[in-house]
Amino acid sequence: MTVETPPAGSPSLRWEPAAADPADRVDPAGLALRVLAAELRSHGVEVREDGASGTVDAGPSARPQRALLRPHRGDLWWWMRWPAQVDVHPALSGVPISPATRTSDAARRIVGALSMTVGDA
């Protein structure tokens, strides 16, 4: 089978937000939050999502593991934020863990971080 891509600038490749029906618009960040929350819940993890800040807190509310949606490498990625530590600047306390489209990878890493105990670190 041969698949041809129309030349750049073709109307079929251009997305016009004003022309789109509001019912057809999907907020990719909101969708990613809901999908990650559902994936974590399927692993039996307690989850709280915050669409305003783009975060998902997983695990017990006393010591949650926070996942954030942030730009990385020109795309939207899941970042894992470590609990605040006295000797670590807040900007350095997070690491990118997977593209937002790979929620199962992000969920697996978050579940793994939650299963670690202080003695394992």
Side-chain angles (χ1 to χ4, degrees), residues 3-120:
V3 177
E4 293 185 24
T5 304
S10 295
S12 61
L13 294 180
R14 196 175 320 132
W15 183 67
E16 300 288 339
D21 182 358
D24 294 336
R25 294 184 196 160
V26 175
D27 172 29
L31 179 61
L33 286 170
R34 288 189 301 276
V35 171
L36 180 61
E39 180 84 24
L40 288 166
R41 285 184 184 111
S42 75
H43 288 280
V45 175
E46 178 184 343
V47 178
R48 292 155 310 281
E49 45 187 298
D50 182 350
S53 63
T55 62
V56 171
D57 286 341
S61 57
R63 189 174 166 92
Q65 179 62 59
R66 177 163 282 180
L68 305 96
L69 279 172
R70 297 292 182 258
H72 180 63
R73 297 182 179 170
D75 212 349
L76 193 60
W77 276 57
W78 285 110
W79 287 66
M80 196 158 34
R81 178 74 62 166
W82 306 115
Q85 297 173 344
V86 176
D87 58 341
V88 178
H89 187 277
L92 301 176
S93 63
V95 294
I97 58 172
S98 77
T101 56
R102 293 175 46 191
T103 52
S104 58
D105 290 347
R108 182 180 42 80
R109 290 181 171 192
I110 293 166
V111 168
L114 288 169
S115 67
M116 285 180 48
T117 64
V118 175
D120 292 339

